Amino acid sequence: MTQYITPDLRRWLKEQLQSGVKATDLVISMTQAGWERKLALQAVAELKIDGWFGKKEEANSLAGKLPEPAVGDGRCLLDAGDREVSVLATVQHPRVVVFGNLLSAEECRAIIDAATPRMQRSETVSEKSVGSEVNVARTSRGMFFERGETDVIARLEARIARLVNWPVENGEGVQVLNYQPGAEYQPHYDYFDARHASTGSILKRGGQRVGTLVMYLNTPKRGGATTFPDIKMAVQPIQGQAVFFSYATPDPSSLTLHGGAPVLEGEKWVATKWLRQGRFE
Ligand code: PD2
Ligand code: ZN
């Protein structure tokens, strides 16, 4: 049976949010009552965009205090200091912006060359214990640069800070990933999950992640798109381009579930910049 978000349901959800019920708890009660999870997420997320936060949620939400490129007035080109970056696509909720001309081919090459000798099998934050572990959902190889580690990295970090209006000091070091044919990164959220054992200690350094920028360092022949299953969007990896997204709340109603689709032909190199709430020192 097809399910629809009716005006009555919308009214009921508004009342719940206004009386202080958390968005995540609402989604759980809706799925327990037989609603499809995706529809429940969509219904709650739509109300949140319209400003229907409950009082507690409002206090916890970072809306208005997030990295955000100046795309509001329909601008096609953005001044990123030493480079003019183009705006190729925007989505309102989740906030997604696709950029063109963020990096030159020479900068991409320099980052790949500096990263290559340091590549190791990628790990993810462990769910049960403190630390990280190798995960079958993530079959890429990767490494991290220190912030400002090379001239190119420092220049890129200053450019990103200006582009998304977020301090360099709030950024993690750039991560470089390499995917060979068949390698993928299954859909996940980039924020730290409050239920995981290591989250408490991770948050002490810089707070939550609030935004992600995935930059494409080369163009694979086929496959390797960055996908957003909640909004059925796929961004093809084209050298020098990037996809940015932000998340006001560290929960699924952010609609920021995303993954790296399997590379089908050729290889894929990306650099990821994660942005924190506070200074990441
Ligand atoms: O490589 C990607 O497309 C990708 C997809 C999802 C990278 C990340 N997540 C990440 O670095 O978090
Ligand atoms: Zn990710």
Side-chain angles (χ1 to χ4, degrees), residues 138 175 177 179 185 188 190 212 214 216 224-226 258-260 268 270 272 274:
R138 197 176 180 192
Q175 176 198 234
L177 293 177
Y179 302 76
Y185 196 171
H188 60 274
D190 280 354
T212 302
V214 178
Y216 305 110
T226 304
H258 66 287
K268 173 185 171 192
V270 300
T272 305
W274 286 296

Side-chain angles (χ1 to χ4, degrees), residues 32-64:
Q32 280 169 351
W35 287 89
E36 286 167 27
R37 182 177 164 277
K38 256 194 191 155
L39 207 75
L41 278 173
Q42 194 192 331
V44 173
E46 276 173 12
L47 289 172
K48 287 173 78 173
I49 313 169
D50 293 343
W52 285 98
F53 281 98
K55 288 184 192 69
K56 261 189 243 156
E57 287 258 305
E58 200 158 15
N60 289 338
S61 165
L62 294 166

